[in-house]
Amino acid sequence: ENHIYTLQNGEVLSGITCVLNKFISPTKYDNVPAEVLERAKLRGSAIHADIACFIEGFGGAYTPEVKAFAEWAGSSELYSECLVSDGICYASAIDVVRHLGDKQVHLYDIKTTSVVDEEYCRWQLSIYAYFMHISGFDVVGASVLHIKDDTIKELPVVLVSCDSVK
């Protein structure tokens, strides 16, 4: 829940979201009341958790958001909350990874905000792609899964080059 990432020696790594919030759109929520942000955060966290449980095969009463996700996913080979890192300074968990075979993957980030910050998402997914690349995977695509009003819309993202991410 707190997104704390550590190396085996106990050294704490910085999460990507914290870094991105400092450099990309650091003031985007400044005019939003704290109670609105808190409600949105709780809703987003609940949807993320429900989708992760669905992917991992836990049954239960599915929310409309999970039903929309299940319809979108079909019979794909999906993994949730995949931990990635450069092994030095940074780490994060990718919301959804679709395995396409032969170490090829497509990355997805779930957003439940009313509007998607495309530049933020582009950098977030590009950093994840770089971490997957240095781990030996070929990222063939990345998308935002925008969940709004119980519907899901896939928004493809043009990734930043690995050299730019470095």
Side-chain angles (χ1 to χ4, degrees):
E1 184 172 310
N2 293 323
H3 299 285
I4 297 172
Y5 309 104
T6 58
L7 295 174
Q8 288 181 338
N9 66 6
E11 185 178 341
V12 177
L13 301 176
S14 179
I16 294 305
T17 303
C18 293
V19 173
L20 286 174
N21 285 337
K22 290 179 187 176
F23 297 104
I24 299 177
S25 306
T27 60
K28 69 180 166 185
Y29 297 122
D30 283 358
N31 295 322
V32 180
E35 61 275 2
V36 172
L37 283 176
E38 185 60 25
R39 275 195 315 271
K41 178 182 171 187
L42 292 173
R43 178 180 175 273
S45 294
I47 290 170
H48 276 78
D50 288 347
I51 288 173
C53 286
F54 169 79
I55 290 171
E56 298 304 320
F58 295 102
Y62 294 132
T63 63
E65 294 85 1
V66 173
K67 288 177 184 174
F69 179 85
E71 185 177 312
W72 169 85
S75 61
S76 299
E77 184 179 348
L78 301 176
Y79 299 90
S80 67
E81 298 300 320
C82 297
L83 186 61
V84 291
S85 175
D86 64 356
I88 303 166
C89 297
Y90 303 104
S92 198
I94 305 171
D95 291 341
V96 179
V97 174
R98 177 178 284 172
H99 184 247
L100 303 171
D102 296 328
K103 292 199 127 191
Q104 291 187 328
V105 295
H106 190 109
L107 310 180
Y108 299 92
D109 192 70
I110 297 170
K111 296 295 184 201
T112 58
T113 52
S114 59
V115 177
V116 173
D117 183 339
E118 293 178 26
E119 187 65 7
Y120 180 95
C121 293
R122 186 168 85 100
W123 277 99
Q124 181 181 20
L125 285 161
S126 296
I127 293 167
Y128 295 166
Y130 172 68
F131 290 167
M132 292 294 285
H133 172 76
I134 62 176
S135 297
F137 288 88
D138 180 22
V139 177
V140 298
S143 302
V144 171
L145 297 178
H146 188 211
I147 300 176
K148 183 178 177 187
D149 301 327
D150 305 338
T151 61
I152 190 164
K153 186 174 184 180
E154 183 174 341
L155 308 170
V157 171
V158 175
L159 295 171
V160 175
S161 72
C162 286
D163 287 337
S164 294
V165 169
K166 285 185 219 177

